Amino acid sequence: AMVLGDVPLRFNPSEQAEATGAVAKRNESVIVETRQNDWLRVRNASGDQGWIPARSVHFAGADGVIDRD
C-alpha cells in the first residue's frame, strides 16, 4: 500500500488517539497488518507500526491499477 501524504501513526484507530511519534511519509510503501473499520494498522520499512486512516492509502491491484479502498 502507498501512503498519499504524511500521516502520523497512532496507538489506536482514532483521530483522538495519541500519536506514536512516527510518521508514514508521502509515497512511502507500508505493509497493512490489519483493518478496523476505516483504519489500517501499518508497518513501514523502518519497522514503525501504528494506525492510519484507510483514506490516506492507495492500494495497487494485481494489474498495476491503483484502486482506492
Side-chain angles (χ1 to χ4, degrees):
M2 180 82 60
V3 179
L4 297 174
D6 292 356
V7 182
L9 299 177
R10 299 193 179 276
F11 285 111
N12 295 297
S14 168
E15 292 286 346
Q16 289 75 39
E18 183 179 351
T20 66
V23 175
K25 302 280 189 189
R26 183 175 191 268
N27 294 328
E28 179 176 30
S29 181
V30 294
I31 295 170
V32 177
E33 297 181 331
T34 191
R35 181 178 188 135
Q36 184 174 323
N37 299 318
D38 293 332
W39 287 81
L40 304 172
R41 181 166 171 79
V42 300
R43 180 170 34 94
N44 65 13
S46 301
D48 298 317
Q49 297 178 351
W51 292 90
I52 61 174
R55 68 180 180 274
S56 58
V57 174
H58 267 162
F59 294 93
D63 58 2
V65 175
I66 296 178
D67 298 315
R68 196 160 221 194
D69 190 68

